[in-house]
Amino acid sequence: MSVSERYRQAWESYWQNTSDAPGEAIWDADPSLSAIPHLALLAPHADATLPIADLGCGNGTQTRCLATRFPRAIGVDLSSAAIEHARRADTEKVAEFEQLSLTDTARVRELHERLGDVNVYMRAVIHQSDPPDRLPVAEAVATLLGRRGRAFVAELTEESKTVLREAAQSPGGPPPKLRRVFDHDLRPADARTAEVPELLREAGLTVLAHGPTTLPQTEYRADGTRIDLPAHWYVVAPA
């Protein structure tokens, strides 16, 4: 298991200091801007009778939406504090949540044994993982898919760094939600754009479809415009 203690503690600290208010995390966009349009891209390729796993689920906003489209939805996250947020927010108990490091190969395999083949939803996980962890994260996707699952993967591109830098250099400094990302030593858009498809292929996955997109944030610039981060999406299947 290669997750560094720095990385784990950064995420625990972030979620421990985040309220339960919707949108408090900068990436906690409404599903109408995230999961729903993403599912439209995944749907032509996926068996909707399979469960779906939301990897890096955070406070579970997208997981609860996924639960309305699939017979079973489970959200997993490295941070136990994030999972506590997700369980509190799921007042109707439509989804399941558990703490899991995607680099823990044994536990990922155990999850696959429990669930069987699943579809996967993963939004912005590889780009902020430490470099040694990026291939294990992609391999976790492959393990969970088994033979029948399909995955939707969206990752920030390098252009996102420019957008974030410009937002941080506004006259009043970084907007509050972005400042908290920096304060907790999280590292958005840290992977090269070309690295993501390379990792997916190395993990034994085939890209069925892909294209440019943006990941809307819940933070705004001083002029009132929403921060949307450039990204690329992939629908992948076992090779």
Side-chain angles (χ1 to χ4, degrees):
M1 184 166 55
S2 61
V3 169
S4 70
E5 189 60 22
R6 179 212 67 81
Y7 182 77
R8 186 189 305 277
Q9 288 303 319
W11 281 103
E12 283 296 339
S13 174
Y14 178 85
W15 283 112
Q16 287 169 0
N17 289 277
T18 298
S19 78
D20 284 337
E24 182 67 14
I26 192 171
W27 50 79
D28 189 29
D30 188 89
S32 65
L33 300 173
S34 294
I36 290 175
H38 295 162
L39 287 178
L41 297 167
L42 175 63
H45 307 278
D47 179 353
T49 67
L50 295 178
I52 191 163
D54 182 8
L55 308 186
C57 68
N59 62 357
T61 297
Q62 311 307 319
T63 321
R64 296 193 303 276
C65 175
L66 297 173
T68 68
R69 306 295 183 93
F70 293 86
R72 185 180 184 185
I74 181 167
V76 302
D77 200 279
L78 173 67
S79 166
S80 57
I83 294 301
E84 291 171 7
H85 277 287
R87 288 173 175 160
R88 286 195 298 269
D90 188 16
T91 56
E92 297 184 4
K93 307 303 179 188
V94 297
E96 305 164 56
F97 299 97
E98 65 179 79
Q99 188 277 333
L100 173 69
S101 168
L102 295 175
T103 67
D104 189 335
T105 303
R107 285 199 59 203
V108 171
R109 287 176 178 165
E110 188 272 333
L111 180 62
H112 179 256
E113 290 171 2
R114 279 193 280 129
L115 299 177
D117 293 356
V118 300
N119 296 310
V120 162
Y121 179 72
M122 189 170 75
R123 183 178 61 121
V125 173
I126 291 175
H127 78 88
Q128 46 75 29
S129 297
D130 287 339
D133 296 330
R134 292 171 189 162
L135 179 58
V137 167
E139 290 172 338
V141 174
T143 296
L144 293 170
L145 295 185
R147 291 179 298 172
R148 298 184 296 149
R150 302 291 183 266
F152 180 90
V153 176
E155 294 293 338
L156 299 183
T157 65
E158 291 166 286
E159 289 78 12
S160 290
K161 285 187 174 181
T162 302
V163 175
L164 291 168
R165 187 182 306 114
E166 291 173 351
Q169 293 174 348
S170 61
K177 295 176 186 178
L178 180 57
R179 184 186 299 276
R180 291 183 58 244
V181 169
F182 297 145
D183 287 347
H184 289 275
D185 197 25
L186 305 180
R187 301 172 183 177
D190 200 44
R192 293 179 298 106
T193 303
E195 184 178 356
V196 174
E198 293 170 358
L199 290 168
L200 296 172
R201 285 191 290 268
E202 190 174 349
L205 297 165
T206 296
V207 176
L208 302 178
H210 66 95
T213 187
T214 60
L215 295 184
Q217 306 296 289
T218 64
E219 187 59 280
Y220 294 80
R221 299 177 180 84
D223 63 5
T225 58
R226 188 180 64 210
I227 298 175
D228 290 349
L229 297 180
H232 205 93
W233 63 268
Y234 307 86
V235 172
V236 299

